[in-house]
Amino acid sequence: MPDFEFVHVNQPGDEKKNSTKVRRHVMKDIGRARRKPKNRGGETTIARDVQATAAGPSSSGQTQDEQALVPSPLDEARLGDIPFPVDMDEERRSLARFIFTAVRSSHLPFGLPWLSIGLADSASWYITLANAVLFKQMKPGQSKPEFSTSTEAMKWYTMSLKSISKRLEDPDEASKQGLIVAITGFICHDTSTGNFARQEIHFQGLKRLVDGIGGIDEIANPVLRLMISWHDLSGAAYRNGLPHFGVPKGSMTDINTGGDTVYFDMLLDSWDKNCPYLGDIQNALKATAAVASFVNQNSQTPNFWTDELTAARLLAPALHEVLSLQGRALPNDPSHPDYSGTAAREAFRRSALIFLAALKAKFGAVSFELRRHVQDFRQISQIPHVDWAVVPELNLWAHTIAALEEQSDQRGWHVSAIVGVMESAGFTASRQALDVVRGIIWIEALFGDKVEALCREIDGLVAFRAMERLSGLSMDPSTGVA
């Protein structure tokens, strides 16, 4: 039977006085609903400019173009028919067989699309062979090493580098998109090894080439556009800086969220008068909420979590919004009216980056930026004299998302902040707080299995503080020990 709650209004305008009660009632139902994922196949998602693939996906998850370009690794006749950009002796053919097998038998993000793109240029194919050597030599669970760890890989890497260097000196060659493909191959390796200093150098060169043809949207291959954007945003997120390129064509810039963001929209509507200093972060949070809505609506689709092209199209707009926000200096005086709001704004921004990085990892991609943002949020949670009860619902969300991605022995400050906001809101159990969080920006498939342990820590601190008030004990929030 529906659980109704009535709000008494004496005169026009009194409804604002009861807005908190209304929001909590709404979020309670939304929180319950989001504890289990729903299959909403009937809902539609709208994108303004969907051109990520030239053909629809087949039952195997590959586009028709990819199936035409990438041969079966066991079909020697088909392999011989491929127009490779370089002469293929048995050594090169053996590496080609290996890498074709690898991308078909295990999920390597952008592996199959890259093989199709890499076949278009000699330098990009040499860097593909260098990567094949590394993958062939890697042990299960080993992080991807540098080319310098293998003499054989260095041979192909050097051949690719020489080809690129020679062509960069030729103005006619510099305007060709094959060179863009080759440098993108180097950037892919930089990202996969976490060498973002070198990635930045390569991106500076790539940007000059891309600007020379009129910008990223002038790249003819739609998959290449998305790959460049993906790695650009990976580097920007790791550096906590601006990306080199704008949102590429084919990105999901207009997602139909249905009724998923009702409670969240109510919160944002209350900001205008109560928290004007938080207004500029609204678009970034809305974009992140749209990403969550899309995942919640579509994550039950077969092969969803191995579809890196959908991930790239989905995450690009939200990451651009979050990373484009300018930083703000924290006032020196804690009594300054913007002190707590400025700290909260950065907490919201960092939590959005943690959320998107965790989602990226769920898609099977490397996410070196996740640990960095979690560590930085830990410092934010320890800023002294911050009233985290400013916009309490959003602060509950921010600290909870960070805590869920934090190591258990490192999240005492997060739990302390969460309980502090709960006390100001009159909450007495973690379940109430998690209902709020689920009503804001949430993906059950991403965080559901991590909730129970955090709730135990929250409820433990709630109980301890109740005892503290009775006995006069005090506790160190960083350790949770009296």
Side-chain angles (χ1 to χ4, degrees):
M1 185 173 180
D3 180 17
F4 294 104
E5 182 172 351
F6 296 92
V7 175
H8 185 65
V9 178
N10 291 316
Q11 58 185 359
D14 280 0
E15 67 276 4
K16 295 182 180 178
K17 300 177 182 178
N18 295 280
S19 60
T20 299
K21 182 184 290 187
V22 173
R23 293 202 306 267
R24 288 178 185 167
H25 189 70
V26 173
M27 65 78 184
K28 182 168 62 177
D29 293 334
I30 293 174
R32 290 196 193 110
R34 288 193 178 175
R35 288 172 191 166
K36 293 184 179 180
K38 297 177 288 184
N39 185 1
R40 293 198 244 174
E43 301 232 8
T44 59
T45 300
I46 303 170
R48 289 190 186 130
D49 188 7
V50 181
Q51 301 175 16
T53 54
S58 68
S59 59
S60 65
Q62 304 166 22
T63 68
Q64 294 173 12
D65 283 355
E66 288 168 351
Q67 289 178 321
L69 285 173
V70 180
S72 165
L74 303 179
D75 189 342
E76 177 63 29
R78 182 72 183 278
L79 191 67
D81 292 340
I82 291 293
F84 288 100
V86 300
D87 292 334
M88 295 289 287
D89 57 19
E90 183 52 36
E91 179 187 17
R92 298 174 181 186
R93 197 175 299 277
S94 176
L95 287 173
R97 290 193 199 98
F98 171 80
I99 198 64
F100 289 149
T101 302
V103 298
R104 289 176 180 275
S105 61
S106 60
H107 176 52
L108 298 175
F110 288 104
L112 192 58
W114 170 257
L115 285 183
S116 299
I117 295 170
L119 286 167
D121 183 85
S122 60
S124 61
W125 184 245
Y126 285 138
I127 205 69
T128 302
L129 295 179
N131 277 284
V133 171
L134 292 184
F135 285 124
K136 193 173 184 178
Q137 296 177 349
M138 283 169 58
K139 298 177 181 179
Q142 179 185 356
S143 298
K144 188 181 178 186
E146 291 286 3
F147 293 127
S148 58
T149 61
S150 167
T151 302
E152 186 181 0
M154 277 299 293
K155 177 179 70 174
W156 303 115
Y157 166 79
T158 302
M159 292 175 71
S160 179
L161 187 61
K162 286 181 178 178
S163 174
I164 291 173
S165 299
K166 182 178 179 180
R167 290 153 65 188
L168 282 172
E169 297 174 358
D170 185 343
D172 293 333
E173 285 290 329
S175 63
K176 294 180 180 179
Q177 295 195 20
L179 196 54
I180 292 175
V181 174
I183 296 176
T184 300
F186 279 70
I187 289 172
C188 292
H189 177 70
D190 296 336
T191 304
S192 63
T193 58
N195 194 331
F196 291 100
R198 189 176 61 207
Q199 189 221 52
E200 172 65 10
I201 294 172
H202 286 147
F203 256 119
Q204 290 173 4
L206 180 65
K207 188 173 190 324
R208 286 193 293 270
L209 294 177
V210 173
D211 288 348
I213 65 170
I216 192 170
D217 286 340
E218 296 304 314
I219 294 175
N221 190 307
V223 176
L224 181 59
R225 285 199 305 267
L226 290 171
M227 287 186 69
I228 290 173
S229 173
W230 177 270
H231 292 289
D232 180 27
L233 290 167
S234 294
Y238 183 83
R239 298 187 308 272
N240 190 30
L242 293 173
H244 291 282
F245 301 104
V247 179
K249 286 191 302 186
S251 300
M252 296 184 188
T253 54
D254 193 4
I255 296 174
N256 178 11
T257 61
D260 279 358
T261 59
V262 172
Y263 174 58
F264 182 53
D265 291 339
M266 291 173 64
L267 286 179
L268 296 185
D269 288 342
S270 72
W271 279 12
D272 292 339
K273 292 183 178 179
N274 297 334
C275 313
Y277 41 80
L278 294 174
D280 70 330
I281 200 173
Q282 288 198 24
N283 286 340
L285 293 177
K286 285 180 179 179
T288 305
V291 168
S293 177
F294 180 89
V295 174
N296 289 329
Q297 292 179 33
N298 295 278
S299 63
Q300 303 304 305
T301 304
N303 303 319
F304 177 81
W305 293 112
T306 56
D307 186 352
E308 60 277 303
L309 295 180
T310 292
R313 295 172 53 223
L314 174 65
L315 293 175
L319 280 169
H320 268 273
E321 286 285 358
V322 179
L323 291 168
S324 297
L325 289 168
Q326 295 183 349
R328 290 185 181 175
L330 185 72
N332 293 324
D333 184 0
S335 65
H336 192 285
D338 291 350
Y339 182 84
S340 293
T342 301
R345 177 184 180 273
E346 182 61 16
F348 302 159
R349 193 183 74 85
R350 289 286 184 161
S351 288
L353 288 171
I354 290 171
F355 186 97
L356 295 169
L359 179 57
K360 178 182 166 185
K362 179 71 173 176
F363 275 105
V366 292
S367 188
F368 291 99
E369 66 270 26
L370 178 56
R371 287 298 102 203
R372 295 198 79 177
H373 291 307
V374 169
Q375 292 168 4
D376 289 342
F377 192 98
R378 192 186 309 150
Q379 300 302 313
I380 295 170
S381 69
Q382 298 177 43
I383 297 175
H385 310 301
V386 174
D387 178 12
W388 293 116
V390 60
V391 194
E393 298 93 342
L394 262 296
N395 269 304
L396 271 180
W397 172 80
H399 286 272
T400 299
I401 294 301
L404 287 167
E405 291 300 320
E406 179 67 275
Q407 299 297 320
S408 180
D409 60 349
Q410 295 288 332
R411 62 187 181 197
W413 285 100
H414 305 319
V415 173
S416 180
I418 291 168
V419 173
V421 177
M422 287 173 58
E423 290 173 344
S424 70
F427 295 159
T428 58
S430 61
R431 174 183 54 80
Q432 295 170 297
L434 264 294
D435 280 346
V436 172
V437 174
R438 284 188 172 101
I440 298 175
I441 305 174
W442 184 262
I443 297 174
E444 188 69 18
L446 195 58
F447 300 112
D449 60 350
K450 302 176 182 180
V451 166
E452 185 177 351
L454 177 60
C455 284
R456 286 197 299 269
E457 294 179 38
I458 293 172
D459 289 332
L461 181 55
V462 169
F464 184 90
R465 286 194 175 178
M467 294 175 57
E468 180 184 45
R469 286 189 289 270
L470 293 175
S471 62
L473 294 175
S474 61
M475 187 193 67
D476 181 351
S478 66
T479 62
V481 178

